[in-house]
Amino acid sequence: MARAGRQRAAPSLADAGAVRVASLPGVGPRMAEKLAARGLLELQDLWLLLPRQYEDRTRLTPIRALQPGVSAQVEGTVAAVERGFRYRPSLRVAIVDDSRATLVLRFFHFRGAQAAQFVPGTRIRCYGSARPGQHGLEMVHPSYRLFAQEGEGDAGADALDEQLSPVYPAIEGIGPATVRRLVGLALDRLPAEGELELLPPDALDGLGMPSLRAALLAVHRPARDADVAALLEGRSPAQRRLAMEEMLAHHLSLRRQRIALQQHAAPALDGPAPLAERLRGALPFALTGAQARVFEQVRADLAQPRPMLRLVQGDVGSGKTVVAALAALVAIGRGRQAALMAPTELLAEQHLANLRAWLEPLGVRVAWLAGKVTGKARAAALAHIASGEAQLVVGTHALMQEGVVFRDLALAIVDEQHRFGVHQRLALRDKGASGSGVPHQLVMTATPIPRTLAMAAYADLDVSAIDELPPGRTPVQTVALAADRRPELVERIRAACAEGRQAYWVCTLIEESDELEAQAAQSTHEALSKALPGLRVGLVHGRMAAREKQATMRAFKDGQLQLLVATTVIEVGVDVPNASLMIIENAERLGLAQLHQLRGRVGRGSAASSCVLLYRAPLSALARQRLETMRSTSDGFEIAEKDLALRGPGELLGTRQTGLAAFRLADLARDADLLPQVHALGERLLAAAPAVADRIVARWVGGAARYAAA
Ligand code: ADP
Ligand code: MG
């Protein structure tokens, strides 16, 4: 079948990257569809499909020199073959080489014809990672090639590779060899350096970085003498170059989004704010310096005739809610509406209770809207929101649904924004009343991220930090205990509950399996209920219906339950000041950010609180450092910096958390030192060459950016 793409006139070189993948030889509609499912639409998508790994098939390793766990290529002669059927079919092929050592190849999935090929005396070359087996080292399912017997074969068949072989990410329905071939074909169509390059030459020279063309070739087709270790770690100059351009693309995409949103008008809420001042005067405490500073930043933003886009980072317990309430009062005092949205019903209810207590005495009318508000109550809430009778609306994402029409929304506050994400941020834009512009946006998060990363992740937001806790908090005592001391904890729980306190027991597993984690929590719940017969013990895990989960959380909050066994689903936000003991199982497996969030569930009341980190020995060096960090500090910002240094931002800054698109290659921790240059270059391009900026975004961010620009 003739493919339309091949009939067309060749596009100009500058557009070579935008040529459809379907125009490559051998790519029919079915394969094009599979590629499209992975976002591989154009040649440039294949250029940027970067290898995950490299296999070194340029040399042979003597079997005697194989190291367990290290991939290598060996060549030998089949010495013995054994087929077994005892538990499941298995095939074991022993090979020997000139080093007079034996290696066993093991196969569990194979066809009869395949097994029959392994005739003793046949020469075989295989590539894989060896591991210790019953009789010395073995390789499970290595990739291999058999050579024809003497005299039959073609002479060139056993030449070694000239270059490292890239290993590409798996693509469903397309074999690795085909993926490699397609990338090769796409690379053959790489335009000349000058046509491909989008970055200003002086910028590259300044950074001492290779051209894009040179970088792509170095990554896809590394020379035989390339520094493999640097490549595998992503630290080669070519990879740094690509990472820089990718971070630049993301930065530009977020900046453009911000610039586009700030083209809209927003109500300028300037002048005095008597309601906010009254609340400040009525509070039983003075604002901390950090709260006062951040509120001033917010006020200055609100006074502008363009929408505020501000993120407030503040550790758990730093007092973000008061700042949000003050901001809401600035809008309400000017006769406008404000809304506060939280990611779960329970959190939203918590805010509702606090805000009612603070605002209603000032005569402010607060409305409530969540998924469970239905029927007449919902109709009434909607009517109040539409008429302006409701001055502050508190709720869940139900606030963003279509039927919800505000009379005059001037400020939207979003708590724990990582649970929402960019989509919702855009949806909010449309909630403003026509004529009065788009609402100001205030986003609050309790997951502090290091300053360098905040710049990258939130280039569309201004960032403030409440980096000070209210006075008088007793820090949570943190200890790390080996798991065999688990029995002592039963006594600790009993003692805490005897004093009228409450406790959490958090079960964690490394596997990303809700089901296994739920099982672990269930059996812990049973065991603890048995060991503590006098106590009321509750259970929450991710496998429970949302309603059931919330009912249990509420019972714990109300003090009806004394001990709560939970999985990490309790991580975010719930405030039970009476809880003073937190036990975290398998703490060595959690990242610092998560441990910090979990620990933040206690120490919220007046009682001295403690956190026990149970670990399973032996600890890795990394785990030891994490637990030590937890013991030595409770400052979320310090912990975030440490986390970044220890582990990298992958989990810290997971895409689900930030709404930030995943990077193909850049690693914000590894490449953080490039961020200042990225920003400088980004601002320069936005000012001097916005069309180039657009092309950089399209090249790297593609679909996601098209969405954001919509
Ligand atoms: P978070 O930042 O975790 O959302 P909250 O806003 O829930 O923290 O505040 C935690 C607790 O601290 C609340 O009980 C709140 O009333 C109290 N609080 C807030 N600011 C201050 C302050 N400046 N002094 C004393 N207590 C405060
Ligand atoms: Mg909060």
Side-chain angles (χ1 to χ4, degrees):
M1 193 178 81
R3 269 172 297 277
R6 280 158 79 189
Q7 313 293 323
R8 277 205 309 261
S12 78
L13 277 180
D15 292 327
V19 170
R20 310 299 291 180
V21 167
S23 68
L24 290 174
V27 180
R30 297 262 295 281
M31 189 180 289
E33 215 169 277
K34 288 173 188 160
L35 291 167
R38 273 291 298 266
L40 303 169
L41 304 171
E42 300 172 349
L43 293 192
Q44 62 191 355
D45 296 321
L46 287 175
W47 300 340
L48 300 177
L49 181 72
L50 299 173
R52 284 270 147 84
Q53 267 289 345
Y54 295 91
E55 291 181 352
D56 184 357
R57 297 169 191 258
T58 64
R59 66 194 103 216
L60 294 173
T61 303
I63 291 178
R64 196 170 291 288
L66 284 176
Q67 308 265 359
V70 179
S71 296
Q73 178 167 253
V74 301
E75 188 172 309
T77 311
V78 174
V81 181
E82 188 186 288
R83 285 181 74 165
F85 295 96
R86 257 172 85 96
Y87 302 107
R88 52 176 173 167
S90 83
L91 173 65
R92 305 191 329 142
V93 179
I95 66 171
V96 290
D97 72 353
D98 295 341
S99 71
R100 304 245 290 290
T102 306
L103 172 71
V104 174
L105 314 181
R106 251 177 189 285
F107 300 87
F108 298 108
H109 313 283
F110 56 92
R111 285 189 291 268
Q114 191 185 355
Q117 294 177 310
F118 296 106
V119 179
T122 310
R123 216 150 58 80
I124 180 170
R125 183 182 292 168
C126 52
Y127 183 94
S129 156
R131 63 173 203 195
Q134 277 169 310
H135 312 283
L137 290 178
E138 59 182 39
M139 279 185 190
V140 178
H141 284 264
S143 62
Y144 67 91
R145 238 165 81 200
L146 295 163
F147 293 106
Q149 302 282 5
E150 292 297 316
E152 297 171 16
D154 51 319
D158 54 353
L160 291 168
D161 285 0
E162 298 272 312
Q163 294 170 328
L164 299 175
S165 347
V167 179
Y168 291 102
I171 295 176
E172 191 160 336
I174 305 181
T178 305
V179 174
R180 204 171 294 178
R181 186 178 65 82
L182 292 177
V183 174
L185 287 171
L187 287 174
D188 292 342
R189 288 159 175 73
L190 265 183
E193 207 153 279
E195 306 288 345
L196 188 63
E197 193 62 59
L198 292 173
L199 304 188
D202 65 298
L204 286 177
D205 288 348
L207 292 166
M209 285 184 167
S211 72
L212 180 58
R213 184 183 157 87
L216 286 172
L217 290 174
V219 167
H220 285 288
R221 296 174 174 167
R224 187 186 173 141
D225 59 357
D227 181 345
V228 186
L231 273 172
L232 292 178
E233 287 170 16
R235 290 179 194 275
S236 71
Q239 286 158 312
R240 298 264 294 168
R241 155 66 217 251
L242 297 173
M244 199 271 287
E245 187 169 328
E246 181 172 34
M247 292 193 293
L248 177 66
H250 281 264
H251 178 76
L252 290 170
S253 148
L254 287 171
R255 294 292 296 167
R256 281 194 328 182
Q257 207 170 300
R258 177 190 171 91
I259 291 167
L261 199 52
Q262 291 207 319
Q263 300 292 313
H264 298 268
L269 306 169
D270 49 0
L275 271 180
E277 292 313 321
R278 277 175 61 200
L279 174 60
R280 262 178 100 154
L283 287 171
F285 48 76
L287 295 187
T288 62
Q291 284 171 317
R293 187 188 68 234
V294 170
F295 176 51
E296 283 317 313
Q297 290 166 343
V298 169
R299 266 190 81 168
D301 286 353
L302 290 174
Q304 303 298 318
R306 57 171 185 275
M308 165 171 77
L309 291 166
R310 184 168 290 276
L311 173 79
V312 173
Q313 296 194 65
D315 219 338
V316 278
S318 61
K320 294 182 289 294
T321 321
V322 181
V323 175
L326 292 168
L329 288 175
V330 173
I332 293 165
R334 297 290 301 262
R336 315 257 183 174
Q337 287 174 299
L340 187 151
M341 203 164 43
T344 68
E345 228 156 67
L346 202 61
L347 283 175
E349 270 177 23
Q350 230 166 252
H351 281 308
L352 181 71
N354 285 330
L355 291 165
R356 281 208 159 125
W358 285 332
L359 304 200
E360 285 180 348
L362 304 175
V364 172
R365 296 176 303 271
V366 182
W368 165 242
L369 191 67
K372 71 174 180 197
V373 179
T374 53
K376 277 195 190 133
R378 180 177 165 82
L382 291 181
H384 288 158
I385 295 168
S387 70
E389 164 78 17
Q391 294 167 292
L392 173 66
V393 188
V394 179
T396 58
H397 52 265
L399 285 182
M400 275 183 305
Q401 284 161 0
E402 261 177 40
V404 185
V405 180
F406 288 84
R407 185 180 66 94
D408 194 6
L409 181 65
L411 170 63
I413 304 166
V414 182
D415 195 16
E416 300 295 354
Q417 74 98 30
H418 57 265
R419 297 285 161 124
F420 287 105
V422 177
H423 298 44
Q424 282 94 338
R425 223 182 284 161
L426 292 171
L428 267 174
R429 178 187 60 187
D430 305 325
K431 285 290 178 192
S434 58
S436 66
V438 305
H440 296 284
Q441 291 187 34
L442 179 63
V443 173
M444 305 192 292
T445 174
T447 312
I449 61 177
R451 240 174 48 84
T452 43
L453 292 194
M455 288 201 299
Y458 300 120
D460 57 336
L461 298 169
D462 296 306
V463 179
S464 303
I466 306 186
D467 48 6
E468 179 187 353
L469 289 183
R473 300 269 164 87
T474 23
V476 178
Q477 277 284 336
T478 302
V479 292
L481 284 187
D484 57 8
R485 301 194 37 199
R486 207 175 151 175
E488 295 169 29
L489 294 174
V490 172
E491 274 324 302
R492 266 183 101 144
I493 296 170
R494 204 196 306 276
C497 295
E499 286 174 23
R501 305 273 161 215
Q502 290 164 281
Y504 293 97
W505 184 296
V506 180
C507 304
T508 68
L509 288 177
I510 189 75
E511 294 86 9
E512 290 257 312
S513 158
D514 274 4
E515 184 167 347
L516 288 178
E517 205 167 66
Q519 275 170 20
Q522 261 155 5
S523 49
T524 303
H525 176 253
E526 267 168 45
L528 288 172
S529 304
K530 227 174 254 159
L532 294 159
L535 293 191
R536 298 178 299 278
V537 187
L539 171 67
V540 281
H541 58 69
R543 280 289 173 117
M544 288 163 60
R547 178 170 310 176
E548 210 182 332
K549 243 182 341 206
Q550 296 209 358
T552 308
M553 285 305 310
R554 188 160 295 123
F556 185 66
K557 194 171 154 89
D558 295 344
Q560 292 156 26
L561 295 170
Q562 291 158 292
L563 170 63
L564 186 65
V565 177
T567 60
T568 49
V569 297
I570 57 151
E571 189 185 341
V572 166
V574 172
D575 190 21
V576 183
N578 191 45
S580 66
L581 175 60
M582 163 65 67
I583 295 161
I584 305 173
E585 270 194 287
N586 300 321
E588 79 279 8
R589 292 164 155 180
L590 295 184
L592 278 172
Q594 208 173 12
L595 287 171
H596 179 63
Q597 284 293 315
L598 287 170
R599 180 171 61 183
R601 300 302 102 218
V602 295
R604 302 171 79 86
S606 52
S609 296
S610 47
C611 174
V612 179
L613 305 171
L614 277 179
Y615 64 86
R616 230 169 266 273
L619 281 179
S620 69
L622 193 65
R624 187 178 301 278
Q625 286 189 60
R626 279 202 219 111
L627 297 186
E628 183 46 39
T629 303
M630 288 298 292
R631 288 200 320 115
S632 62
T633 179
S634 56
D635 178 333
F637 287 92
E638 203 178 318
I639 288 176
E641 295 286 354
K642 190 78 186 172
D643 204 12
L644 178 62
L646 285 180
R647 180 184 54 171
E651 287 163 72
L652 180 76
L653 240 194
T655 47
R656 266 174 307 162
Q657 289 218 328
T658 54
L660 192 72
F663 287 103
R664 300 169 198 250
L665 164 116
D667 175 325
L668 288 178
R670 186 187 63 209
D671 304 317
D673 61 311
L674 292 172
L675 284 169
Q677 284 99 315
V678 164
H679 290 177
L681 189 50
E683 295 315 301
R684 173 176 157 192
L685 288 172
L686 283 172
V692 172
D694 287 352
R695 288 183 61 199
I696 295 173
V697 173
R699 174 185 278 172
W700 286 92
V701 190
R706 281 195 282 276
Y707 169 82

